[in-house]
Short mmCIF file of all heavy atoms in Angstrom, two decimals:
data_model
loop_
_atom_site.label_atom_id
_atom_site.label_comp_id
_atom_site.label_asym_id
_atom_site.label_seq_id
_atom_site.Cartn_x
_atom_site.Cartn_y
_atom_site.Cartn_z
N LEU X 127 -45.67 36.96 32.32
CA LEU X 127 -46.29 36.26 33.43
C LEU X 127 -45.27 35.57 34.32
O LEU X 127 -45.64 34.91 35.29
CB LEU X 127 -47.28 35.21 32.89
CG LEU X 127 -48.42 35.75 32.05
CD1 LEU X 127 -49.17 34.62 31.37
CD2 LEU X 127 -49.37 36.57 32.92
N MET X 128 -44.00 35.70 34.02
CA MET X 128 -42.99 34.95 34.75
C MET X 128 -41.93 35.85 35.37
O MET X 128 -40.76 35.51 35.45
CB MET X 128 -42.37 33.91 33.81
CG MET X 128 -43.39 32.87 33.37
SD MET X 128 -42.70 31.47 32.48
CE MET X 128 -42.13 32.26 30.97
N SER X 129 -42.34 37.02 35.85
CA SER X 129 -41.42 37.97 36.49
C SER X 129 -41.57 37.86 38.00
O SER X 129 -41.91 38.82 38.68
CB SER X 129 -41.71 39.39 36.01
OG SER X 129 -43.07 39.73 36.27
N SER X 130 -41.33 36.68 38.54
CA SER X 130 -41.57 36.39 39.95
C SER X 130 -40.56 37.06 40.86
O SER X 130 -39.45 37.44 40.46
CB SER X 130 -41.53 34.88 40.16
OG SER X 130 -41.65 34.54 41.52
N THR X 131 -40.93 37.15 42.13
CA THR X 131 -39.97 37.49 43.17
C THR X 131 -38.97 36.35 43.31
O THR X 131 -39.23 35.21 42.90
CB THR X 131 -40.67 37.69 44.52
OG1 THR X 131 -41.35 36.46 44.86
CG2 THR X 131 -41.68 38.83 44.48
N ALA X 132 -37.84 36.62 43.95
CA ALA X 132 -36.85 35.58 44.17
C ALA X 132 -37.37 34.50 45.11
O ALA X 132 -37.03 33.32 44.98
CB ALA X 132 -35.57 36.19 44.73
N GLN X 133 -38.21 34.90 46.06
CA GLN X 133 -38.73 33.95 47.05
C GLN X 133 -39.82 33.06 46.48
O GLN X 133 -40.05 31.94 46.96
CB GLN X 133 -39.27 34.69 48.26
CG GLN X 133 -38.26 35.60 48.94
CD GLN X 133 -38.38 37.04 48.48
OE1 GLN X 133 -38.48 37.29 47.27
NE2 GLN X 133 -38.40 37.97 49.41
N GLY X 134 -40.57 33.56 45.50
CA GLY X 134 -41.69 32.83 44.93
C GLY X 134 -41.30 32.19 43.61
O GLY X 134 -40.12 32.01 43.29
N ALA X 135 -42.32 31.83 42.83
CA ALA X 135 -42.06 31.22 41.52
C ALA X 135 -43.31 31.33 40.66
O ALA X 135 -44.43 31.39 41.16
CB ALA X 135 -41.67 29.75 41.68
N THR X 136 -43.10 31.36 39.35
CA THR X 136 -44.20 31.35 38.39
C THR X 136 -43.82 30.47 37.21
O THR X 136 -42.64 30.18 36.98
CB THR X 136 -44.53 32.76 37.85
OG1 THR X 136 -43.40 33.24 37.10
CG2 THR X 136 -44.86 33.73 38.97
N CYS X 137 -44.83 30.04 36.47
CA CYS X 137 -44.58 29.37 35.19
C CYS X 137 -45.80 29.59 34.31
O CYS X 137 -46.88 29.97 34.78
CB CYS X 137 -44.31 27.87 35.38
SG CYS X 137 -45.76 26.90 35.87
N TYR X 138 -45.61 29.35 33.03
CA TYR X 138 -46.71 29.41 32.07
C TYR X 138 -46.76 28.08 31.33
O TYR X 138 -45.73 27.58 30.85
CB TYR X 138 -46.53 30.55 31.06
CG TYR X 138 -47.61 30.54 29.99
CD1 TYR X 138 -48.85 31.08 30.24
CD2 TYR X 138 -47.38 29.95 28.75
CE1 TYR X 138 -49.86 31.04 29.28
CE2 TYR X 138 -48.37 29.90 27.78
CZ TYR X 138 -49.61 30.46 28.06
OH TYR X 138 -50.60 30.40 27.12
N ILE X 139 -47.97 27.50 31.23
CA ILE X 139 -48.16 26.23 30.55
C ILE X 139 -49.17 26.42 29.42
O ILE X 139 -50.25 26.98 29.63
CB ILE X 139 -48.69 25.17 31.54
CG1 ILE X 139 -47.66 24.94 32.65
CG2 ILE X 139 -49.00 23.86 30.83
CD1 ILE X 139 -48.22 24.21 33.84
N ASP X 140 -48.81 25.94 28.24
CA ASP X 140 -49.70 25.99 27.09
C ASP X 140 -50.51 24.69 27.08
O ASP X 140 -50.01 23.63 26.71
CB ASP X 140 -48.87 26.12 25.81
CG ASP X 140 -49.74 26.26 24.57
OD1 ASP X 140 -50.82 26.86 24.67
OD2 ASP X 140 -49.34 25.75 23.50
N ALA X 141 -51.77 24.76 27.55
CA ALA X 141 -52.60 23.56 27.67
C ALA X 141 -54.07 23.96 27.62
O ALA X 141 -54.41 25.14 27.76
CB ALA X 141 -52.29 22.82 28.96
N ASP X 142 -54.93 22.95 27.43
CA ASP X 142 -56.36 23.17 27.23
C ASP X 142 -57.12 22.88 28.51
O ASP X 142 -57.02 21.78 29.07
CB ASP X 142 -56.86 22.26 26.11
CG ASP X 142 -58.26 22.63 25.62
OD1 ASP X 142 -59.05 23.16 26.43
OD2 ASP X 142 -58.55 22.39 24.44
#
Side-chain angles (χ1 to χ4, degrees):
L127 299 169
M128 296 189 293
S129 57
S130 175
T131 59
Q133 303 96 314
T136 64
C137 70
Y138 175 81
I139 298 164
D140 183 34
D142 193 330

